[in-house]
């Protein structure tokens, strides 16, 4: 029986270990902190430097977009479920606030909070039903939901005003329009800051890690014991809550509601586009996307009036994002400053490469043994 040499290569399973994630450099932390402070200062000073009330009102609209896209990102960013129907919660928050003021005579901001709570309760059975499906089916269900809400609020004339719209009493009736814009600009900024804070806390929690596991591979997460159904529902309710808060605050600011606008598929599409453009996995991604898309929309509407050119521009922008920046602007910019070695992850190794690596190690070991024998002799 032939003897087996101790130096004979034995087939073993080679494990390729990914390099440890690079630690964030102190300089990068300081840069991020400076950017946050500068961004906050620019936002807070905008009402003071806006040249006219129209520009200030456009700033309010952009902040509203930022609140909506950040609210959408609680669902889309953490779980990967793409919803085009979140405009339904925007409309429900707006109409809920207006109807509570009109029929129950609640103060404006009390009605705003109560409406958001009621919308969150409504989102529970809707979420239970919608989250039973995934992928394209979930997208279709979300679109169906917003279309149903549009038909209901457009047909229910006696309550909602139908196509004629619904007037919302202003919470500050004695305030001039420019000052009104200024106050609501800061209210939207405060709501946005609160939404970002909640998103940041969840992102660094075990709950956030579980939601990300759903995004990466829901079946494996469920097999590992993650209560995916419950966590998805919580994220869905949080998303509906913040979007409805944005809708209710918009109703108090604008003062005139139209079901065709409040329950528009375009509003839901804008939320998705803004979040994707900035980066759904980044805290400030939806905010950056809202600034870019919001400024572009306001510019095109101002230049081309009531034409649909802004829709064409939006479609082109979405195509550019999907083709060239699928992860968003912020990850793309970060990638430019990240070394390729640090960005590397686990690399697949072919069977030929593995065999060649084993042969090389065996040859090196044989050469080393031979050298050791010659030295000892």
């Amino acid at each position: 029986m032939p003897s087996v040499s101790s130096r004979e290569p034995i087939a073993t399973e080679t494990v390729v270990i990914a390099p440890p994630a690079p630690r964030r450099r102190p300089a990068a932390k300081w840069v991020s902190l400076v950017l946050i402070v500068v961004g906050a200062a620019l936002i807070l000073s905008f009402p003071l430097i806006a040249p006219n009330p129209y520009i200030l009102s456009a700033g309010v609209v952009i902040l509203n977009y930022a609140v909506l896209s950040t609210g959408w990102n609680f669902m889309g960013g953490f779980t990967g479920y793409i919803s085009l129907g979140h405009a339904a919660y925007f409309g429900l928050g707006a109409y809920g606030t207006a109807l509570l003021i009109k029929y129950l005579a609640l103060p404006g901001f009390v009605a705003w909070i109560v409406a958001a709570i009621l919308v969150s309760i409504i989102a529970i059975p809707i979420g239970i039903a919608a989250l039973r499906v995934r992928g394209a089916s979930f997208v279709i269900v979300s679109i169906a939901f917003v279309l149903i809400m549009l038909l209901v609020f457009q047909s229910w004339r006696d309550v909602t005003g139908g196509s004629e719209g619904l007037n919302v009493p202003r919470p500050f009736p004695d305030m001039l329009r420019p000052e009104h814009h200024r106050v609501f600009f800061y209210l939207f900024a405060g709501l946005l800051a609160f939404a970002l804070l909640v998103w940041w806390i969840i992102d660094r929690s075990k709950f956030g890690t579980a939601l990300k596991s759903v995004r990466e591979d829901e079946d494996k997460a469920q097999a590992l014991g993650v209560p995916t159904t419950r966590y998805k529902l919580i994220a869905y309710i949080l998303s509906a809550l913040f979007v409805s808060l944005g809708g209710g605050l918009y109703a108090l600011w604008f003062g005139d509601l139209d079901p065709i606008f409040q329950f528009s598929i375009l509003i839901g599409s804008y939320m998705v586009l803004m979040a994707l453009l900035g980066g759904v996995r980044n805290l400030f991604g939806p905010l950056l996307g809202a600034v870019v898309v919001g400024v572009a929309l306001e510019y095109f509407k101002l230049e081309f009036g009531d034409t649909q050119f802004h829709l064409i521009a939006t479609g082109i922008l979405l195509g550019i994002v999907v083709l060239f920046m699928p992860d968003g602007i912020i990850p793309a910019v970060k990638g430019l400053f990240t070394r390729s070695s640090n960005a590397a992850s686990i690399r697949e190794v072919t069977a030929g490469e593995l065999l060649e690596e084993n042969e090389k190690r065996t040859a090196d070991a044989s050469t080393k043994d031979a050298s050791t024998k010659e030295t000892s002799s």
Side-chain angles (χ1 to χ4, degrees), residues 341-365:
S341 59
N342 290 339
S345 181
I346 299 177
R347 185 177 66 89
E348 293 183 0
V349 181
T350 64
E353 290 176 334
L354 185 60
L355 179 61
E356 182 180 352
E357 183 69 19
N358 287 338
E359 290 178 350
K360 182 179 178 181
R361 290 179 179 177
T362 302
D364 291 342

Side-chain angles (χ1 to χ4, degrees), residues 36-319:
I36 292 173
V37 172
V38 171
L42 288 175
I43 291 175
L44 294 177
S45 62
F46 180 80
L48 303 177
I49 62 178
N52 54 61
Y54 173 77
I55 298 297
L56 182 56
S57 66
V60 176
V61 172
I62 291 172
L63 276 185
N64 181 38
Y65 282 146
V67 170
L68 297 181
S69 58
T70 301
W72 178 91
N73 208 35
F74 279 90
M75 186 66 193
F78 280 126
T79 68
Y81 277 65
I82 304 299
S83 170
L84 293 177
H86 263 53
Y89 297 116
F90 172 70
L92 286 173
Y95 269 95
T97 302
L99 295 175
L100 288 173
I101 295 173
K102 181 177 180 180
Y103 292 104
L104 298 182
L106 293 179
F109 291 103
V110 175
W112 174 50
I113 299 298
V114 173
I117 295 173
L118 292 176
V119 171
S120 301
I121 295 174
I122 294 173
I124 295 175
I126 299 299
I128 292 174
L131 293 171
R132 294 173 63 90
V133 296
R134 307 180 190 176
S137 299
F138 178 78
V139 177
I140 294 173
V141 169
S142 66
I143 294 175
F145 176 51
V146 71
L147 291 179
I148 291 172
M149 291 295 100
L150 171 61
L151 293 175
V152 169
F153 279 80
Q154 199 169 11
S155 303
W156 202 5
R157 293 178 178 270
D158 295 337
V159 177
T160 66
S163 299
E164 296 178 0
L166 181 66
N167 292 323
V168 185
R170 293 170 61 180
F172 310 110
D174 299 329
M175 191 175 290
L176 297 177
R177 201 63 179 173
E179 186 64 24
H180 183 78
H181 290 334
R182 187 174 296 109
V183 170
F184 272 91
F185 183 92
Y186 288 121
L187 288 174
F188 273 109
L191 179 58
L192 175 62
F194 178 60
L196 291 173
L197 176 62
V198 175
W199 202 95
W200 180 82
I201 292 173
I202 293 177
D203 186 47
R204 282 154 178 75
S205 66
K206 293 182 179 180
F207 173 60
T209 302
L211 290 177
K212 294 172 191 176
S213 69
V214 172
R215 180 185 66 201
E216 300 303 328
D217 195 321
E218 185 172 348
D219 293 327
K220 287 184 179 179
Q222 193 169 8
L224 292 173
V226 177
T228 56
T229 302
R230 186 198 316 162
Y231 284 2
K232 287 188 301 181
L233 182 60
I234 295 173
Y236 187 83
I237 295 170
L238 279 173
S239 183
L241 171 65
F242 281 103
V243 172
S244 65
L245 285 171
L249 198 58
Y250 176 88
L252 294 175
W253 169 67
F254 195 71
D256 188 18
L257 302 180
D258 178 7
I260 296 179
F261 173 77
Q262 307 304 141
F263 297 98
S264 172
I265 292 292
L266 281 177
I267 297 296
S269 302
Y270 289 158
M271 296 183 205
V272 178
L273 173 60
M274 292 168 188
L276 291 178
L277 179 62
V280 295
R281 302 186 184 189
N282 191 280
L283 173 64
F284 298 105
L287 171 58
L288 177 60
V291 172
V292 174
V293 176
V295 170
L297 288 175
E298 292 300 316
Y299 173 78
F300 288 129
K301 289 179 181 178
L302 183 64
E303 290 293 322
F304 300 99
D306 295 331
T307 64
Q308 302 300 314
F309 184 79
H310 65 281
L311 299 180
I312 299 175
T314 302
I316 294 174
L317 180 60
L318 180 59

